[in-house]
Amino acid sequence: MEAHPKEVTMKSIKRETMSKQVVDQIIELLTSRQLNPGDKLPTEAELTDMLFVSRPVLREALSSLETMGMIQRKTREGTFFSYRIGSKPFSIMLALSAGDIPAVMEARMALELGLVTMAAEKITDQQLEQLAELMHAMSLNTAGYEQIDKNFHRMIAYSANNPILEGSIDALLNMFDKTTNQIAQIDRDHLVTMQQHQAIFDALSKRDPLAAHSSMYIHLSQVRAKLVKPKLR
Amino acid sequence: MEAHPKEVTMKSIKRETMSKQVVDQIIELLTSRQLNPGDKLPTEAELTDMLFVSRPVLREALSSLETMGMIQRKTREGTFFSYRIGSKPFSIMLALSAGDIPAVMEARMALELGLVTMAAEKITDQQLEQLAELMHAMSLNTAGYEQIDKNFHRMIAYSANNPILEGSIDALLNMFDKTTNQIAQIDRDHLVTMQQHQAIFDALSKRDPLAAHSSMYIHLSQVRAKLVKPKLR
DNA sequence: TTAGTTCATTTGTCTTACAATATGATTTAT
DNA sequence: ATAAATCATATTGTAAGACAAATGAACTAA
């Protein structure tokens, strides 16, 4: 008989709520390719029968999925999987970082650096023209300067043509708007900004991913430095 | 009296559901800084009184926020804002792209290229050591090669130290696992992979963001080429 | 003082009922 | 025959009430 019993490590058992289990089962319809984006889901009545849960529990799950942009529910028509997620869900999630400006800035920076690299591979002539127009509008120093600047960045991000990251970048750019509006006007040197934009544009025109990245890195590093200087190691 | 009335453009009016309005009001607590991550929200009973909605509507909103990782609800304790969002919500959202392997690959690529750039600015000596250990483990060609490869990438992404993007990258790496497991074994040339990892590691050691980016770009371009070659412009 | 039991608090689930919305079908008026 | 109005229907949206489950606090007994 041992004086001390063997030490035993046991994992705690956590049962997920019914609502979360319903979410998982509906998502499984997508991952298993039983249903695809755009497809109609069974009605609420059918789903409660199929899944053996009450309607409020099912509605909690469906509301979750709708808030996350995964589905759209229409009275009398039914419930459909979305084609893509917009920016709203990411805006909601970004609210958790509302007090952390450096993190928001660096998240935006990381995302834009990656997207500009991909954009250099696949930007179209039409998109290049649109960028040129935006740059021209900025050179006129019109009233909507900040908005045009934002659209310049947004245009590049969209040129990467990645549906998965579009919602994120939109939410980050929008949040950046709100954040910088609360701080003193940052970009006072339009000339430098436009020169940096030009360098980015030139690299994109050459379809050079590395040059595009380094031009954007220089530009966003300057934006960051004026906004906030994170503590480097 | 004009023969043709003036053309009038009017926007359609859409009233949001009560549940979504509740979500927005709770989020506003964060963006207005009335509450912060970790803080306790009022109880369900209090919220129904404050917001003049029924409990099921409130629960739909709270379920949404919990599935999105924004809050955590505990029986008897109450409801708290999270400190950060894990990978689960992003895994759910990624299910919409389950059929689009190129998009998943390029989303991962864009995210990793941005994060490795930031990581070069701020990686710690300890993190570098951990990377070295992972590389050593990979050189032994052990049974968990793929998992170690994944952890190498994950370690770099974490080194960027950005709470906002951590959940995304985790979900993408995990999804990448699942996707590639369904395809023939891709990485047959461990030697090349390890050399590319070494180049990335060297650039990170020098804390050179541009070199880190270009090394990672070369590496991930190869991974992508073996997985799928997206149609370039 | 400690261990076991009971109670209270808050979230979790269900049933029932009615409301609201949007669309197609039917009826009525021209 | 056609257009407009009305009605019916399908599905989602909201609410009230009741009970269950989980867990920490308070109380009681040893």
Side-chain angles (χ1 to χ4, degrees):
Chain A
M1 189 77 167
E2 297 190 353
H4 299 286
K6 264 193 179 169
E7 299 215 348
V8 173
T9 303
M10 299 194 71
K11 267 196 176 176
S12 64
I13 296 179
K14 176 152 188 187
R15 194 207 71 166
E16 285 285 33
T17 61
M18 303 297 285
S19 157
K20 282 185 189 152
Q21 291 178 52
V22 171
V23 166
D24 290 341
Q25 293 219 35
I26 293 175
I27 290 301
E28 179 66 24
L29 294 177
L30 279 176
T31 55
S32 67
R33 311 302 304 276
Q34 290 179 62
L35 291 179
N36 289 295
D39 286 352
K40 183 177 185 305
L41 272 74
T43 64
E44 289 183 5
E46 288 164 344
L47 284 168
T48 54
D49 285 346
M50 290 159 64
L51 299 175
F52 297 100
V53 293
S54 67
R55 191 166 164 233
V57 163
L58 178 79
R59 287 190 60 79
E60 285 185 23
L62 291 178
S63 286
S64 295
L65 290 170
E66 189 169 23
T67 307
M68 292 172 89
M70 297 295 295
I71 63 173
Q72 285 169 298
R73 294 187 283 180
K74 296 184 184 180
T75 305
R76 204 179 184 281
E77 287 192 58
T79 302
F80 302 82
F81 277 120
S82 307
Y83 283 103
R84 74 176 47 177
I85 291 168
S87 61
K88 179 70 189 288
F90 297 104
S91 298
I92 290 172
M93 291 196 273
L94 268 177
L96 257 193
S97 305
D100 194 354
I101 295 179
V104 173
M105 177 63 222
E106 289 195 352
R108 177 195 159 190
M109 192 169 165
L111 210 46
E112 282 202 69
L113 288 173
L115 285 170
V116 76
T117 308
M118 312 306 288
E121 290 181 345
K122 46 179 37 172
I123 193 167
T124 64
D125 288 344
Q126 187 184 12
Q127 284 163 337
L128 280 170
E129 272 183 40
Q130 281 170 318
L131 283 179
E133 282 164 20
L134 289 169
M135 283 161 61
H136 177 64
M138 283 177 75
S139 69
L140 301 182
N141 207 16
T142 55
Y145 175 87
E146 283 79 19
Q147 188 59 34
I148 300 170
D149 178 67
K150 206 62 50 201
N151 287 339
F152 178 81
H153 285 264
R154 187 172 285 115
M155 189 75 245
I156 293 175
Y158 285 4
S159 305
N161 196 27
N162 190 277
I164 298 174
L165 296 179
E166 269 178 14
S168 311
I169 194 64
D170 243 343
L172 276 163
L173 287 174
N174 291 341
M175 185 171 196
F176 201 66
D177 258 354
K178 288 190 218 145
T179 306
T180 53
N181 280 347
Q182 297 168 8
I183 309 189
Q185 176 62 270
I186 295 181
D187 188 16
R188 294 222 188 84
D189 206 342
H190 293 185
L191 189 60
V192 172
T193 297
M194 286 188 293
Q195 283 171 349
Q196 290 171 343
H197 281 190
Q198 184 68 42
I200 295 166
F201 178 84
D202 291 342
L204 287 171
S205 300
K206 292 190 216 140
R207 279 135 175 129
D208 183 340
L210 299 188
H213 170 269
S214 66
S215 304
M216 184 64 90
Y217 179 72
I218 291 167
H219 176 46
L220 290 180
S221 294
Q222 191 201 22
V223 175
R224 177 179 59 170
K226 289 189 180 172
L227 182 63
V228 59
K229 192 67 181 180
K231 288 187 185 168
L232 295 186
R233 192 193 64 91
Chain B
M1 189 75 169
E2 298 190 353
H4 299 288
K6 263 192 179 170
E7 298 214 348
V8 174
T9 303
M10 299 195 69
K11 265 196 176 177
S12 64
I13 297 180
K14 176 153 189 190
R15 194 208 70 165
E16 285 284 34
T17 61
M18 302 297 286
S19 157
K20 280 185 190 155
Q21 290 179 49
V22 171
V23 166
D24 290 342
Q25 293 219 35
I26 293 175
I27 289 301
E28 180 65 25
L29 294 177
L30 279 176
T31 54
S32 67
R33 310 304 302 279
Q34 290 178 60
L35 292 179
N36 288 296
D39 286 352
K40 184 178 185 299
L41 272 74
T43 64
E44 289 183 5
E46 289 164 343
L47 284 168
T48 54
D49 286 346
M50 290 159 65
L51 300 175
F52 297 102
V53 293
S54 70
R55 191 164 165 236
V57 165
L58 178 78
R59 288 191 57 80
E60 285 184 25
L62 292 178
S63 285
S64 294
L65 290 170
E66 187 166 26
T67 306
M68 291 171 87
M70 297 295 296
I71 64 173
Q72 284 166 297
R73 296 187 281 179
K74 295 183 185 179
T75 304
R76 204 181 182 280
E77 288 190 54
T79 302
F80 301 80
F81 277 120
S82 306
Y83 283 102
R84 72 177 48 179
I85 291 167
S87 60
K88 179 71 188 287
F90 297 104
S91 298
I92 291 173
M93 290 194 275
L94 268 176
L96 257 191
S97 305
D100 194 354
I101 295 182
V104 174
M105 176 63 222
E106 288 195 353
R108 177 194 159 190
M109 194 169 163
L111 209 46
E112 281 203 68
L113 288 173
L115 286 170
V116 76
T117 309
M118 310 306 288
E121 289 181 345
K122 46 177 43 171
I123 193 168
T124 64
D125 289 344
Q126 185 183 15
Q127 284 162 336
L128 280 170
E129 274 183 38
Q130 281 170 320
L131 283 179
E133 282 165 19
L134 289 170
M135 283 160 61
H136 177 63
M138 280 176 77
S139 70
L140 302 183
N141 207 14
T142 56
Y145 175 88
E146 281 79 21
Q147 187 59 34
I148 300 171
D149 177 67
K150 206 60 54 201
N151 286 340
F152 179 80
H153 285 263
R154 187 174 283 115
M155 189 75 246
I156 293 174
Y158 285 4
S159 306
N161 197 27
N162 190 279
I164 298 173
L165 296 180
E166 269 178 14
S168 312
I169 194 64
D170 242 344
L172 275 164
L173 287 174
N174 291 340
M175 186 173 196
F176 200 66
D177 258 355
K178 289 190 217 144
T179 306
T180 53
N181 280 348
Q182 296 168 9
I183 310 185
Q185 176 62 268
I186 296 179
D187 189 17
R188 296 223 186 83
D189 207 341
H190 292 185
L191 190 60
V192 172
T193 297
M194 286 189 294
Q195 282 171 347
Q196 290 171 342
H197 281 190
Q198 184 69 44
I200 294 165
F201 178 83
D202 290 343
L204 287 172
S205 300
K206 293 193 218 142
R207 281 142 174 124
D208 183 341
L210 300 188
H213 170 270
S214 66
S215 304
M216 184 66 90
Y217 179 71
I218 291 166
H219 175 48
L220 291 179
S221 295
Q222 192 200 24
V223 174
R224 177 179 60 170
K226 288 187 178 174
L227 183 65
V228 60
K229 193 68 183 179
K231 289 185 184 167
L232 295 185
R233 193 190 64 92

